[in-house]
Amino acid sequence: KQEVTQIPAALSVPEGENLVLNCSFTDSAIYNLQWFRQDPGKGLTSLLLIQSSQREQTSGRLNASLDKSSGRSTLYIAASQPGDSATYLCAVKEAGTALIFGKGTTLSVSS
Amino acid sequence: DGGITQSPKYLFRKEGQNVTLSCEQNLNHDAMYWYRQDPGQGLRLIYYSQIVNDFQKGDIAEGYSVSREKKESFPLTVTSAQKNPTAFYLCASSISGQGRTNEKLFFGSGTQLSVL
C-alpha cells in the first residue's frame, strides 16, 4: 500500500532563506505528484503538479522536482517570506485511487 | 466565480445525532471526494465519486454515508455510528478522476465538526 512521508514535520527559518521540503513515497507507479499549501483552518490550494513523465515544475519562487525511481520529491522555496508560512502537503496519484497525502510540513518564516 | 462551496463552516453534533455536510461545485467536474483531517495529520479519504449515482468507499468510510444524485452535489452524512467525528472535513473535485497525469484536485474551504 502506498505511503507518503514528509520530513521535517515542522521547519522555522528567517526571512530570505532558501529552503527545501521533502516528500517520499513507497511505490513508484504513480500518475503524478502534487504539492499543496494549507493555511490554518482553510482548504488546500494546489501549488505544483508534476506528471509521472516530468522531472520538475516551476512557479515563481517555487520549484518541485520528482525522482520516481527513488520515490522522492522536493519542494524548493527561494527567498522565503513571512507570507510563505503555512503547511505544505504532498500527495501522489495512483491508478484507480484518489490522491494519497503525506502529513505535511508546517513552515514558519520569521521577519 | 467557479469553485467548491462547503457549508456550514462550523457544525456541532449532539450525541446520537446524524449531521450532513454540504458540498457543491460549479466546475463541471465529474469526480468529487471527501477527506477527513485531524490535527497534525494528513488527509484521509472517506468516500469518492467519479460519476453521478456511483461512489466508492475510501480508507475510513465506517460511520459515514454519501449520495451523488446530481453532478454538482456530494453531501456527506456523519452518522451516530461514527464515534469520533470531531475533525476538519474537506471536499474536493477533479475533472474526471480517471487518472489523467495532469489532473489537478481542487478543494473547498472545509467544515469543522465538533461534538457537544
Side-chain angles (χ1 to χ4, degrees), chain A:
Chain A
K1 182 180 177 182
Q2 179 76 263
E3 292 185 2
V4 180
T5 303
Q6 292 187 246
I7 296 174
L11 181 63
S12 294
V13 301
E15 182 177 7
E17 190 163 301
N18 302 327
L19 59 101
V20 173
L21 307 181
N22 297 294
C23 174
S24 62
F25 48 96
T26 55
D27 190 336
S28 61
I30 62 172
Y31 278 11
N32 63 49
L33 183 144
Q34 299 182 45
W35 283 93
F36 295 87
R37 168 183 172 139
Q38 185 178 30
D39 293 294
K42 305 290 186 182
L44 278 66
T45 301
S46 179
L47 296 174
L48 290 165
L49 181 151
I50 312 175
Q51 299 180 53
S52 58
S53 59
Q54 297 174 327
R55 297 283 292 182
E56 66 177 349
Q57 282 288 324
T58 297
S59 176
R61 294 182 294 106
L62 305 179
N63 175 277
S65 67
L66 174 65
D67 184 342
K68 275 181 53 177
S69 60
S70 67
R72 294 181 181 178
S73 175
T74 61
L75 178 66
Y76 175 82
I77 302 178
S80 59
Q81 304 171 357
D84 294 331
S85 299
T87 296
Y88 293 82
L89 297 104
C90 74
V92 298
K93 179 75 171 77
E94 296 181 310
T97 70
L99 279 179
I100 301 168
F101 284 82
K103 294 183 179 182
T105 295
T106 298
L107 172 65
S108 176
V109 182
S110 57
S111 57

Side-chain angles (χ1 to χ4, degrees), chain B residues 11-22:
Chain B
L11 185 60
F12 298 90
R13 193 191 88 167
K14 296 180 181 178
E15 194 75 31
Q17 185 182 40
N18 293 353
V19 292
T20 297
L21 285 62
S22 171

Side-chain angles (χ1 to χ4, degrees), chain B:
Chain B
D1 289 337
I4 302 173
T5 301
Q6 289 189 241
S7 63
K9 186 172 177 62
Y10 301 97
L11 185 60
F12 298 90
R13 193 191 88 167
K14 296 180 181 178
E15 194 75 31
Q17 185 182 40
N18 293 353
V19 292
T20 297
L21 285 62
S22 171
C23 178
E24 303 277 334
Q25 55 98 0
N26 60 5
L27 300 168
N28 199 33
H29 285 174
D30 284 323
M32 297 187 74
Y33 311 81
W34 275 105
Y35 286 91
R36 169 179 171 145
Q37 186 177 36
D38 294 280
Q41 301 296 313
L43 277 66
R44 292 184 290 169
L45 182 67
I46 306 173
Y47 270 99
Y48 66 103
S49 168
Q50 294 180 318
I51 195 170
V52 174
N53 292 323
D54 187 42
F55 47 83
Q56 288 76 42
K57 293 182 179 180
D59 298 324
I60 56 167
E62 185 174 351
Y64 301 97
S65 65
V66 294
S67 62
R68 187 85 187 277
E69 297 177 0
K70 298 186 301 181
K71 185 176 184 178
E72 304 80 21
S73 179
F74 192 40
L76 173 73
T77 296
V78 184
T79 74
S80 56
Q82 173 49 246
K83 298 306 179 186
N84 184 23
T86 297
F88 191 54
Y89 291 85
L90 287 158
C91 178
S93 71
S94 62
I95 291 178
S96 74
Q98 295 298 328
R100 299 175 187 176
T101 60
N102 62 347
E103 187 165 313
K104 286 188 177 181
L105 198 63
F106 296 85
F107 281 85
S109 57
T111 293
Q112 175 64 50
L113 175 63
S114 302
V115 177
L116 290 177

